[in-house]
Amino acid sequence: MPDRPALLAVLAHPDDESRIIGGTLAKYAGEGTRVVLYCATAGEAWRAGADPDAQRRLRRRELAGACVTLGIADLRLRTYPDGGLDRLGADVLAADIAATIRECAPHVVITFGPEGRTLHPDHVAMHHATNRAVALVRAAVGPAAPPARLCYTTVAASVARAVGWRFPATPDAAIAVTIDVTPWLDRKRRATVIDHASQYHDPPFSNVDEAARWRALAREDFVLAADSLSLPPGERSDLFAGLR
Ligand SMILES: [Zn+2]
């Protein structure tokens, strides 16, 4: 395993990385962690009836800008069908993600939880494909070390109550890691609002006003998948705790 710690985020759409875990990615990139972003689609289907090629070009450009803002130097953008990941077959995605894991040797992988955060079928498909990919890497005999931790992004129940979140949330006591991203909130905000301008018509936590929204977005919560390395006792604020 390379000496420099590495983090791989496996997500579905351009803007998932910014609005969901932008603070976490900016924090670890800023601290010298190798941050790799795997994005399965170019987001070409978000506006019904629009030219998919034009949408793809726009969203690629927006994602490239967000990567600069967040400090992500390594982007693996795929062109699987936006809105069609659940029909692609988990094995196709899993094999590609497993190859990325073998190549990048991340210590920590982040993806969606089983609810896909917003129940979006593409997000749920990424959850299953990433689980399968990690299992493939763990089962293989070879030089590639499997990631020590597979983490799922989630919304804490207290945050869900504060913002009227209508999707599944995780009881606060079951959260494994909470990252206070206040120091990186400006970057997250720039990436979400300015770089991904085409998507801010539907902002995260849209039930509340701008101030309450960014208060809620200043924390990012994670749970650990089964078979992940536990955090050291008392440690709840660092995905890499005990791994450096
Ligand atoms: Zn998404």
Side-chain angles (χ1 to χ4, degrees):
M1 190 180 284
D3 288 334
R4 199 170 154 216
L7 169 64
L8 171 65
V10 184
L11 300 169
H13 310 112
D15 86 335
D16 290 341
E17 82 297 331
S18 296
R19 61 169 58 209
I20 299 173
I21 54 169
T24 297
L25 298 179
K27 164 189 156 68
Y28 284 109
E31 291 174 355
T33 300
R34 284 187 298 130
V35 175
V36 183
L37 171 61
Y38 178 104
C39 182
T41 81
E44 72 278 5
W46 70 274
R47 181 183 279 168
D51 171 19
D53 287 336
Q55 300 306 306
R56 200 177 283 116
R57 281 195 300 275
L58 168 68
R59 304 228 23 213
R60 275 177 188 269
R61 219 169 34 240
E62 290 184 335
L63 180 57
C67 285
V68 172
T69 299
L70 299 176
I72 301 168
D74 192 341
L75 168 64
R76 313 293 174 102
L77 177 61
R78 303 298 195 245
T79 51
Y80 295 114
D82 180 16
L85 295 182
D86 57 333
R87 297 187 296 278
L88 196 59
D91 285 348
V92 174
L93 271 173
D96 190 28
I97 297 165
T100 305
I101 292 172
R102 288 191 193 99
E103 190 189 333
C104 302
H107 303 63
V108 171
V109 174
I110 299 174
T111 191
F112 296 99
E115 80 296 342
R117 198 162 171 109
T118 55
L119 308 174
H120 192 306
D122 281 351
H123 296 180
V124 174
M126 293 312 291
H127 167 78
H128 292 300
T130 307
N131 276 3
R132 175 102 183 98
V134 170
L136 286 171
V137 175
R138 283 191 178 130
V141 178
R149 291 195 181 112
L150 172 58
C151 309
Y152 303 144
T153 168
T154 189
V155 174
S158 59
V159 174
R161 276 194 301 277
V163 299
W165 181 246
R166 60 189 191 281
F167 301 108
T170 300
D172 286 44
I175 301 284
V177 174
T178 297
I179 299 188
D180 174 3
V181 304
T182 304
W184 298 276
L185 196 57
D186 262 359
R187 283 176 183 266
K188 180 177 183 177
R189 193 193 321 256
R190 270 190 356 241
T192 303
V193 179
I194 297 172
D195 295 322
H196 287 294
S198 78
Q199 303 304 301
Y200 203 62
H201 65 281
D202 179 22
F205 301 146
S206 56
N207 288 12
V208 292
D209 66 28
E210 195 75 16
R213 176 175 311 149
W214 290 99
R215 267 198 307 280
L217 289 168
R219 70 177 271 181
E220 295 175 3
D221 292 288
F222 301 90
V223 294
L224 293 185
D227 298 333
S228 289
L229 182 71
S230 301
L231 276 88
E235 179 55 71
R236 293 191 59 180
S237 61
D238 180 11
L239 297 171
F240 286 82
L243 292 176
R244 291 190 179 87

